[in-house]
Amino acid sequence: MKDLNELKAYMDSRLKENHFVHHLGMSLGELREGYAEVWLDVEERHLQHTGFLHGGVTASLLDVSTGIAAYTQAPAGKNVVTAELKISYLNPSVSARVKAIGRVRKAGQTLLFCEGELYDVQPDGEDRLVGTATSLMIAVDIPLKSQNS
């Protein structure tokens, strides 16, 4: 099992170094073995033409959250990349803040099967499900950047 405090610090730095993720403004919330939360404060640039959260932003949040969850269970020295991502859009997102949750359902040495949900964070505490995802992540030999490089 990986040290989750070290992993959280490492993943926080990786998110900041990822130009696309940084551009969108995603941040990592809770992280534990097989589980990751990714948060986004919704801005006008995240919306589509009728004022809802753009589907591409929804897909990106679900991809990143399931990918980080998969990374927590990938073999040491491996990175993970997305092989397949299926999104189901269930409700339009109209909240000022959203939360994506990624979970590993089955982790092998190479393939990691994940599920995710995206929620509108409501002021009354009743989060509303916006979309779901299934993803297939692959553990690969892409060299990992060290925290010091």
Side-chain angles (χ1 to χ4, degrees), residues 28-75:
L28 182 59
E30 184 178 347
L31 180 68
R32 57 183 192 260
E33 186 79 14
Y35 178 93
E37 289 179 1
V38 176
W39 293 81
L40 179 71
D41 291 321
V42 179
E43 300 175 11
E44 187 174 22
R45 65 189 166 122
H46 299 122
L47 306 178
Q48 45 90 297
H49 66 285
T50 59
F52 301 135
L53 186 68
H54 192 283
V57 176
T58 296
S60 295
L61 285 158
L62 289 164
D63 183 39
V64 170
S65 65
T66 57
I68 293 172
Y71 185 77
T72 68
Q73 294 191 319

Side-chain angles (χ1 to χ4, degrees), residues 94-141:
V94 295
S95 179
R97 191 156 206 234
V98 292
K99 170 179 68 175
I101 297 172
R103 291 182 188 85
V104 175
R105 290 297 175 207
K106 181 168 175 55
Q109 290 297 303
T110 304
L111 300 177
L112 298 102
F113 296 87
C114 303
E115 294 178 348
E117 300 96 32
L118 182 73
Y119 294 93
D120 266 354
V121 177
Q122 302 293 316
D124 63 5
E126 290 293 320
D127 296 346
R128 188 171 135 238
L129 185 63
V130 172
T132 61
T134 57
S135 66
L136 176 61
M137 300 290 169
I138 298 180
V140 295
D141 287 325

Side-chain angles (χ1 to χ4, degrees), residues 72-88:
T72 68
Q73 294 191 319
K78 298 280 187 172
N79 202 347
V80 295
V81 295
T82 306
E84 181 176 87
L85 180 67
K86 179 190 180 297
I87 307 295
S88 296

